[in-house]
Amino acid sequence: MTKKTELPGVFRQLKTSRRSVLRSSAYLGLGLAAPSIISRAAWAQDAKKITFVSEESNPKAQAVYDKINADFEAETGISVTMEYPGFENIAQRVATLIASGTPAELVWYGAGSAMEVALQGQLADVSDLVTDLGIPDNLRLVVDGADRSVATSQQFVYGWYRSDLYDEAGLDPYADWDSYLAVSEKLNNPPAMYGNIVPSAQSGASHLLMETMMQKNDAHWFKMGDDGEYEVYLDQGDNMGKVVETLEFLNKAHKFAPEGSNYSWGDLMSQYFTGRVANSYYVGARLLEQTMSNAPDLAPLTKPISLPAKATDNYYLSVQGFHVGKGSNEDGAKQYVKFFMNHPAYIEWLHSVPLHIIPAKQEVLNSEAYMDNDVIQQRMDVLEFLDSIWGKGRAPYYWDGDKLNKYVGLYQNDSLGGWMLAAMNIGGQDAESVVKEAADKIREKMSDL
Amino acid sequence: MSTSDSPREGGWVAAAIGPALILLLLTAYIPIIYALTLAFYNKTAFNPDMDFVGLKNFFWLLKRDDLWAALGKSIVFTLGSVGFQLAFGLFFGLLLNEAIRGRAIMRSLVILPYLLPTIVIGLVFRWILNPEFGVVNQILLSWGVVERPINFFGGLDVAMTSIIVTTGWQYGSFAVLLILARLQSINPRLYEAARSCGAGTWRCFVDVTLPNLRTTLLLIALLRGIWMFNKFDLIWIITKGGPLQATETLPIYVYKIAFQDFNFGRAAAGCFVMFVILLVVSLIYFKYFNPTKEIEVNR
Amino acid sequence: MSVGLTLEHVTKTFSQGAKSINAVDDLSLEIGPGEFFTFVGASGCGKTTTLRMIAGLESVSSGRILFDKEDVTGIPTQGRDIGMVFQDIALFPYMSIRENIGYSLKVARVPKKEIDERVERTAELLSISDKLAMKPVQLSGGQQQRVAIGRAIVREPKVLLLDEPLSALDARLRTEMRSEILRLHRRINSTIIYVTHDQVEAMTMSSRIAVMEGGKAVQVDQPRSVFRYPARESVATFIGTPAMNVWDASLEGPTDAPRLSWSGVSVPISREDAQALSGLTTVRLGARPQALKLVPADEALLEATLSLKEPLGLEDECHLQVADGLELRLVGRVPDSVAEGSLVHVNIDPSDFCVFHPETGEVLRHGLNKEQIKTI
């Protein structure tokens, strides 16, 4: 559990102080950046140069960038300057650049983080690119009537299970909530083995499970009001019943799980590959990757599975992509995005963590070029699984309605779903009061805005 | 010394201490003043302008149940941790003051926890107290002390104790060093005098050791009390205030206001509250136990 | 109340690495109840170690220590019912004078009221009644030492042990405290064991003294006897100020007319004396400075030059230079007319001579027979 793990998807940015950083750090950054403003301003107007800020920290992926950048410069004469501030600092870096009047041409990171920048009118319209490249609808980010994000890749939230234990016990993989509880109970043999894992802490890992299972139960945080504005829906009408039901389901599941009162992302993986839980879940295939390197014997027995369905079979979707700074060398940036997405090395970039970084488009997933990889060849079952659940993912900011919900940060930033699980599973509070309290917390924050 | 009554001398004094004073003001006090004034402004991520709101942040904060719960946790944590450190320091200080085998090595070893980076200590303790793989639980299970592993940092009822023990362990060595230094400077004749008056080991401890350690213990209590009240890093690394809010002390709570709710004004008000509490406690402390007055003449 | 002490073959061995030394070497002696007994000797002679063994602050390597008939060798300090005063006073600085004096009573759980009474009585005895509310730092050195004594005597211990209690004080206070302690001894009448390197203290205060040397008590006797009849040359020179004059003399002449000669002086001695010195060709001859008298030339045993005259008040201490470089001290009334540089005539009464063995230092004769000695 001490192993350093990268946080997946949207949560990576949510965890950092994204809103604060956007504005307030901009002022700080302005002061620090002042001496270089003049030169950078001149640079920004240079059509032959673009600055590319990427969240990427994987050297394999960075090497691919270098290759594509060289080809791009050879073809267009536009040189690309890379910056890798790391996921902890990227939001601050982006804000600083905007505040100093020299927005980065390109920022590659989670669409959830980009949403905050877009809401402040700092991202260029990339609708043309989205249309040209055929980006699927569920990966889009529309703010003020225009696309603001070009998705390169995505991660699905789904389960992983020990097929050997299922076989031994003569169990079929779970499909719905009842069968999930049944197999978890059957495989539960504490303290050596637990049926499943239900982190119940104010952590991203915990929140993600709650939010995913709410999607499965068609339960919502917000609802579009008559005035076209979102309002808190968590504790309203039938919806409250669904939220309570979700919470109670996860409370039952927690009885067949280790006490997850302080679990975070790393525990979802380490508990699994140390052979202590029969079922786990993750945002993508990193759990498989970690199992391959830490418990090679378990890896072939590790199978992907959709988390149990109830009213829907939706799942939480995490999207990453290119974002073009408004007022920057927008044209050069757009050229680069197109060039990148059509470059053969795009596949190589996707392979930097095989099966974890899922291409934006299904046809790429099913292309021979994508399948031409040792890990993918070994685990074609995972690829087939991803193909089978394709398109059912929902980004949180589109879960509660067709219009972008700009309030998701109000419950995601402090992992409110995780708090709800903790309050019930650890604190012993009853589900209804937890839901009411959670709804009040969101309302209070809304009234603060 | 004559006062700087001549203007020339005054000028010299100003020239001599001026730069240092300005530097001190810039580096030490301006950030503090800035942080404290922030408490009177509405300063959120969505509100780039700082609006003066008077005491609004304080009214909001003082009405929060969370604040009072966090204050309670802080008091428990501070008293517990400082108490543990003093007990730890006394025990090992007395032990290492005795002529035991390997004393020199033990003395060097005892400083080690203090030298380790907090992140290392946090991770190491999470590891050794881990309910599944932790060595402590393995031992407890194999000795039959417990039937099921204890979730030290995850159990609502044990997390605070575990955090207290961890910080106590980390900073206990500081107490050991100070106490040991003081013990070594106690005149051995005082013990002999006490014994010649009929005092046994316990009375010697009460009547010679403790009075001699009084200043040191009070100093440790004050310094470590302030440090522990403000302790953030280790708690954040290990529990992030969890499980639920079991270890959510004031610094953790204020941090969450600042970086989860992104409300800097309210967080600053929280800092202000902490500052005032520490100030009041320190003033009371200095009124009743003035460590500087405790300097003793030992012949 | 007071007890007698018995030390039986008490030995204390300190070892450092491979080396070990006997700080106290097979010491046996008896101290009677109510005695004022002093261990005196130069530093490193084992006197303090002996006291600390009696106190129980130092373990005994071999041998036994008995209080009356009770073997206390294995009993820790706090069980021995002693009172002790230390060279560095060692008052509890954080306690008031009242608390310091009453400490042993508090430890013994004596009722508060009784403690107060006894502390006040003790303070009165030591003339520090007005200091009870103060802290030790507010007191002078002499007052602090009184408090330390008060702390030691308040519970009327079986034995009162004093380890160089006056050495931290200045000369005047020392003299004052000396008589104070003596008075106290008469009042409380407990056995006192006193350690000092100062032979004047030993001489003036004690009922008996033990002169310590290399871990052994080389002479145990009343001060007067030790002064008059030193058992060894080292004792003779240690006890008494200024130190006894001791010089080499050769034994000459036929057996029927033996003589002692030195510095051109030659004196006949009795056959009896010679018998005691038989087998020796040289001896160490000693005479106390007080035994040297200025006399008219015709009564003189020897003549010398007065090289230095140190007035002591009524008397003077004179440095005398005898012919071949021998230097002698004389203490006595010297007329003012006798100035430095003048020739003086000196006589020594034969009974005032001590004769020591040249190698072992042991005494051979205390005084020589009078009638055989003739002047030059």
Side-chain angles (χ1 to χ4, degrees):
Chain A
M1 69 177 266
T2 54
K3 199 167 175 61
K4 188 184 180 302
T5 52
E6 213 180 315
L7 302 182
V10 165
F11 286 86
R12 215 182 281 172
Q13 294 92 45
L14 289 177
K15 205 180 159 290
T16 59
S17 43
R18 84 182 165 202
R19 293 186 178 173
S20 62
V21 149
L22 267 177
R23 288 268 184 138
S24 60
S25 64
Y27 296 107
L28 279 174
L30 190 60
L32 296 173
S36 59
I37 284 178
I38 297 163
S39 59
R40 279 200 54 85
W43 190 348
Q45 290 160 357
D46 190 338
K48 291 297 174 194
K49 282 176 179 170
I50 56 176
T51 295
F52 181 1
V53 181
S54 172
E55 187 186 58
E56 195 61 71
S57 59
N58 183 344
K60 271 195 214 166
Q62 291 176 357
V64 179
Y65 281 141
D66 291 343
K67 193 193 283 184
I68 296 177
N69 293 354
D71 290 352
F72 181 63
E73 184 168 5
E75 190 167 315
T76 62
I78 301 174
S79 69
V80 183
T81 306
M82 294 303 301
E83 280 189 26
Y84 300 109
F87 77 86
E88 300 257 1
N89 302 318
I90 189 163
Q92 181 175 349
R93 181 65 188 144
V94 170
T96 306
L97 289 173
I98 292 169
S100 59
T102 57
E105 275 70 27
L106 284 169
V107 182
W108 183 89
Y109 63 161
S113 295
M115 182 182 86
E116 305 288 348
V117 184
L119 287 171
Q120 308 212 14
Q122 297 293 344
L123 289 185
D125 179 354
V126 289
S127 305
D128 49 342
L129 281 173
V130 170
T131 311
D132 286 359
L133 293 167
I135 303 298
D137 278 354
N138 69 334
L139 303 187
R140 291 170 61 188
L141 176 73
V142 180
V143 176
D144 297 332
D147 279 286
R148 306 291 166 178
S149 176
V150 184
T152 54
S153 49
Q154 55 188 323
Q155 270 118 35
F156 303 166
V157 174
Y158 54 94
W160 293 95
Y161 70 100
R162 285 271 299 271
S163 59
D164 57 328
L165 298 176
Y166 276 72
D167 291 346
E168 261 172 50
L171 292 169
D172 287 329
Y174 57 79
D176 55 21
W177 286 14
D178 290 340
S179 59
Y180 183 83
L181 290 177
V183 298
S184 292
E185 182 170 13
K186 199 78 189 286
L187 295 172
N188 195 45
N189 180 26
M193 172 63 70
Y194 290 90
N196 74 138
I197 186 164
V198 183
S200 307
Q202 209 166 347
S203 70
S206 211
H207 176 85
L208 184 89
L209 181 63
M210 181 64 189
E211 195 162 357
T212 299
M213 297 319 281
M214 275 173 67
Q215 287 195 3
K216 300 280 184 193
N217 201 22
D218 199 21
H220 291 267
W221 300 86
F222 284 87
K223 184 191 169 189
M224 181 77 78
D226 298 334
D227 56 354
E229 281 293 315
Y230 279 106
E231 55 195 46
V232 178
Y233 193 44
L234 201 63
D235 58 347
Q236 302 295 305
D238 292 350
N239 188 55
M240 178 170 178
K242 291 180 188 170
V243 180
V244 167
E245 193 180 19
T246 309
L247 208 45
E248 280 170 349
F249 164 68
L250 287 173
N251 180 251
K252 282 177 202 149
H254 184 249
K255 296 196 173 21
F256 315 125
E259 188 179 38
S261 56
N262 51 0
Y263 281 7
S264 60
W265 299 112
D267 299 283
L268 297 180
M269 299 188 286
S270 65
Q271 292 289 327
Y272 180 83
F273 66 63
T274 54
R276 304 189 67 93
V277 292
N279 290 289
S280 188
Y281 67 95
Y282 207 73
V283 195
R286 197 177 285 279
L287 183 141
L288 179 65
E289 187 210 16
Q290 289 289 307
T291 306
M292 283 171 167
S293 54
N294 288 291
D297 294 350
L298 277 189
L301 307 170
T302 300
K303 297 279 165 64
I305 185 170
S306 268
L307 285 172
K310 175 89 172 162
T312 79
D313 55 0
N314 289 128
Y315 52 84
Y316 189 105
L317 184 66
S318 170
V319 184
Q320 302 91 42
F322 285 113
H323 307 90
V324 177
K326 190 175 260 181
S328 70
N329 178 4
E330 292 180 26
D331 187 52
K334 286 182 179 179
Q335 280 187 58
Y336 182 86
V337 173
K338 216 180 265 181
F339 188 83
F340 183 95
M341 296 297 281
N342 291 315
H343 196 284
Y346 169 58
I347 303 293
E348 205 181 314
W349 177 79
L350 292 170
H351 284 162
S352 57
V353 187
L355 296 168
H356 182 64
I357 304 172
I358 303 169
K361 294 162 73 176
Q362 196 168 13
E363 67 232 45
V364 176
L365 182 85
N366 288 319
S367 68
E368 274 181 34
Y370 183 74
M371 291 180 196
D372 182 15
N373 171 278
D374 287 348
V375 175
I376 297 173
Q377 282 299 313
Q378 270 176 46
R379 297 305 306 261
M380 280 302 284
D381 61 316
V382 178
L383 189 135
E384 281 156 21
F385 167 76
L386 295 176
D387 193 47
S388 74
I389 62 168
W390 194 273
K392 290 171 183 170
R394 291 284 174 273
Y397 35 86
Y398 282 124
W399 171 243
D400 296 327
D402 294 338
K403 188 183 151 194
L404 184 95
N405 179 359
K406 60 181 180 180
Y407 299 119
V408 289
L410 294 184
Y411 63 85
Q412 286 191 333
N413 289 347
D414 59 357
S415 303
L416 191 61
W419 173 83
M420 291 164 78
L421 284 178
M424 183 165 185
N425 296 349
I426 308 298
Q429 204 174 331
D430 71 281
E432 290 199 5
S433 72
V434 169
V435 173
K436 279 187 184 136
E437 207 176 318
D440 287 343
K441 280 177 197 264
I442 303 174
R443 277 196 198 93
E444 198 197 325
K445 287 188 183 173
M446 264 183 103
S447 68
D448 265 358
L449 293 181
Chain B
M1 201 195 96
S2 70
T3 50
S4 53
D5 43 7
S6 83
R8 245 175 96 192
E9 204 175 319
W12 273 113
V13 171
I17 66 166
L21 195 69
I22 288 167
L23 202 65
L24 185 72
L25 281 174
L26 281 177
T27 53
Y29 294 108
I30 289 183
I32 293 175
I33 293 165
Y34 175 77
L36 293 182
T37 50
L38 204 56
F40 300 95
Y41 288 84
N42 182 14
K43 178 80 179 77
T44 67
F46 298 99
N47 187 354
D49 310 313
M50 286 172 44
D51 307 327
F52 184 78
V53 293
L55 294 171
K56 230 175 101 185
N57 287 331
F58 290 94
F59 290 144
W60 178 87
L61 193 68
L62 294 174
K63 273 190 284 188
R64 311 292 297 176
D65 293 341
D66 292 351
L67 175 84
W68 301 107
L71 178 61
K73 302 269 162 47
S74 272
I75 292 170
V76 169
F77 170 73
T78 303
L79 293 181
S81 182
V82 172
F84 187 92
Q85 288 170 40
L86 288 175
F88 184 97
L90 259 182
F91 179 79
F92 283 99
L94 291 170
L95 189 73
L96 294 179
N97 196 39
E98 294 300 315
I100 53 165
R101 258 175 177 283
R103 179 167 70 163
I105 295 167
M106 293 260 302
R107 280 186 185 172
S108 328
L109 284 180
V110 84
I111 182 76
L112 257 181
Y114 200 62
L115 301 178
L116 287 174
T118 302
I119 179 79
V120 173
I121 287 176
L123 295 179
V124 165
F125 267 79
R126 262 169 57 176
W127 188 247
I128 63 174
L129 293 180
N130 183 291
E132 286 90 26
F133 341 103
V135 63
V136 173
N137 270 309
Q138 301 289 352
I139 292 170
L140 292 179
L141 284 172
S142 67
W143 286 356
V145 181
V146 294
E147 278 175 21
R148 303 190 60 156
I150 300 171
N151 194 352
F152 286 103
F153 290 122
L156 272 185
D157 43 353
V158 291
M160 180 56 95
T161 311
S162 305
I163 284 284
I164 285 172
V165 170
T166 307
T167 53
W169 181 84
Q170 184 183 8
Y171 297 107
S173 52
F174 175 84
V176 174
L177 287 180
L178 288 187
I179 289 171
L180 190 58
R182 184 70 192 91
L183 284 174
Q184 285 173 336
S185 69
I186 297 178
N187 181 356
R189 228 49 82 215
L190 290 179
Y191 286 103
E192 296 179 350
R195 287 172 63 197
S196 74
C197 288
T201 309
W202 173 247
R203 283 236 72 110
C204 279
F205 176 74
V206 171
D207 294 328
V208 179
T209 310
L210 275 187
N212 274 287
L213 286 180
R214 193 180 122 96
T215 317
T216 310
L217 295 179
L218 285 173
L219 194 74
I220 295 171
L222 177 71
L223 289 179
R224 291 258 68 114
I226 292 173
W227 287 335
M228 287 302 120
F229 191 78
N230 287 331
K231 193 84 209 134
F232 171 76
D233 50 5
L234 196 65
I235 304 178
W236 186 254
I237 288 166
I238 295 178
T239 66
K240 297 196 162 47
L244 268 179
Q245 273 102 322
T247 57
E248 192 175 287
T249 56
L250 273 181
I252 300 280
Y253 178 58
V254 170
Y255 179 88
K256 283 182 173 174
I257 296 176
F259 296 106
Q260 282 184 353
D261 301 348
F262 304 120
N263 195 316
F264 294 149
R266 286 174 184 171
C271 292
F272 202 111
V273 169
M274 286 175 62
F275 177 75
V276 169
I277 292 172
L278 281 181
L279 195 70
V280 169
V281 171
S282 300
L283 288 176
I284 294 171
Y285 175 96
F286 278 110
K287 183 160 167 55
Y288 287 99
F289 327 97
N290 187 351
T292 55
K293 255 174 65 183
E294 292 286 325
I295 293 167
E296 291 152 1
V297 179
N298 272 320
R299 299 169 41 110
Chain C
M1 205 58 217
S2 56
V3 298
L5 275 82
T6 310
L7 275 60
E8 283 180 3
H9 306 288
V10 170
T11 299
K12 177 68 187 181
T13 311
F14 288 112
S15 38
Q16 194 175 29
K19 277 191 291 186
S20 68
I21 53 151
N22 288 346
V24 175
D25 193 2
D26 194 26
L27 179 66
S28 295
L29 49 87
E30 301 251 351
I31 299 167
E35 243 195 289
F36 194 123
F37 191 91
T38 299
F39 288 96
V40 65
S43 62
C45 68
K47 58 185 189 299
T48 295
T49 308
T50 306
L51 188 81
R52 290 172 60 80
M53 284 193 289
I54 294 170
L57 296 171
E58 209 77 68
S59 64
V60 175
S61 304
S62 69
R64 299 200 301 161
I65 295 172
L66 294 94
F67 284 12
D68 281 343
K69 294 280 171 275
E70 187 198 357
D71 185 351
V72 298
T73 318
I75 297 177
T77 306
Q78 59 266 33
R80 291 195 185 186
D81 192 11
I82 55 156
M84 188 155 177
V85 177
F86 297 86
Q87 179 175 359
D88 52 5
I89 300 175
L91 293 177
F92 304 119
Y94 34 83
M95 292 184 192
S96 68
I97 302 307
R98 180 182 287 279
E99 289 168 315
N100 264 289
I101 295 177
Y103 182 68
S104 62
L105 301 176
K106 185 178 121 189
V107 170
R109 296 173 185 278
V110 173
K112 178 93 179 55
K113 203 171 153 232
E114 194 189 330
I115 293 180
D116 283 345
E117 279 169 21
R118 288 170 69 174
V119 167
E120 277 152 29
R121 211 158 55 223
T122 306
E124 206 172 317
L125 191 69
L126 295 162
S127 324
I128 45 174
S129 298
D130 54 333
K131 308 284 191 289
L132 286 178
M134 295 183 181
K135 287 280 176 76
V137 278
Q138 296 170 274
L139 268 56
S140 70
Q143 290 166 335
Q144 287 187 13
Q145 194 56 281
R146 282 166 206 252
V147 176
I149 292 168
R151 181 177 65 182
I153 62 170
V154 72
R155 67 166 171 165
E156 295 164 21
K158 286 179 186 163
V159 186
L160 180 60
L161 306 172
L162 298 107
D163 183 10
E164 308 223 14
L166 306 184
S167 62
L169 308 180
D170 61 49
R172 225 188 101 174
L173 265 174
R174 234 184 348 247
T175 326
E176 212 175 287
M177 285 299 291
R178 227 154 56 194
S179 31
E180 194 99 28
I181 291 172
L182 269 181
R183 256 203 307 280
L184 192 73
H185 180 226
R186 288 190 193 114
R187 291 276 293 276
I188 63 173
N189 200 33
S190 67
T191 311
I192 290 184
I193 300 178
Y194 193 97
V195 160
T196 184
H197 66 271
D198 183 343
Q199 50 91 20
V200 179
E201 278 176 29
M203 294 295 290
T204 51
M205 300 168 79
S206 326
S207 48
R208 280 200 303 156
I209 65 176
V211 182
M212 300 285 290
E213 242 183 77
K216 292 179 185 292
V218 290
Q219 190 167 8
V220 182
D221 213 332
Q222 291 171 2
R224 192 181 299 263
S225 306
V226 173
F227 186 81
R228 288 204 183 152
Y229 309 112
R232 310 168 60 84
E233 182 186 333
S234 55
V235 175
T237 49
F238 183 75
I239 300 291
T241 10
M244 179 186 269
N245 298 299
V246 182
W247 64 93
D248 288 324
S250 51
L251 206 55
E252 291 169 355
T255 28
D256 56 339
R259 305 180 73 85
L260 274 173
S261 310
W262 74 94
S263 310
V265 182
S266 180
V267 291
I269 55 172
S270 70
R271 210 164 282 150
E272 194 192 342
D273 287 331
Q275 223 151 29
L277 311 179
S278 69
L280 295 169
T281 52
T282 59
V283 292
R284 299 278 291 162
L285 203 54
R288 297 236 171 243
Q290 294 82 353
L292 274 63
K293 308 276 189 237
L294 291 183
V295 291
D298 56 336
E299 293 172 28
L301 181 68
L302 50 86
E303 53 178 43
T305 312
L306 176 64
S307 61
L308 188 66
K309 193 168 150 189
E310 295 174 30
L312 298 174
L314 258 183
E315 298 187 320
D316 295 299
E317 179 180 344
C318 299
H319 296 234
L320 305 178
Q321 208 75 44
V322 187
D324 66 341
L326 173 69
E327 201 176 293
L328 297 175
R329 299 285 177 91
L330 174 150
V331 172
R333 287 193 180 194
V334 179
D336 291 345
S337 57
V338 183
E340 283 177 8
S342 54
L343 196 68
V344 294
H345 297 90
V346 176
N347 191 26
I348 303 167
D349 191 283
S351 63
D352 287 335
F353 279 111
C354 289
V355 186
F356 303 104
H357 193 281
E359 276 125 41
T360 64
E362 277 176 44
V363 76
L364 299 170
R365 295 302 275 171
H366 285 127
L368 295 171
N369 287 345
K370 202 164 199 165
E371 57 275 19
Q372 291 298 330
I373 295 198
K374 285 184 205 152
T375 52
I376 331 169

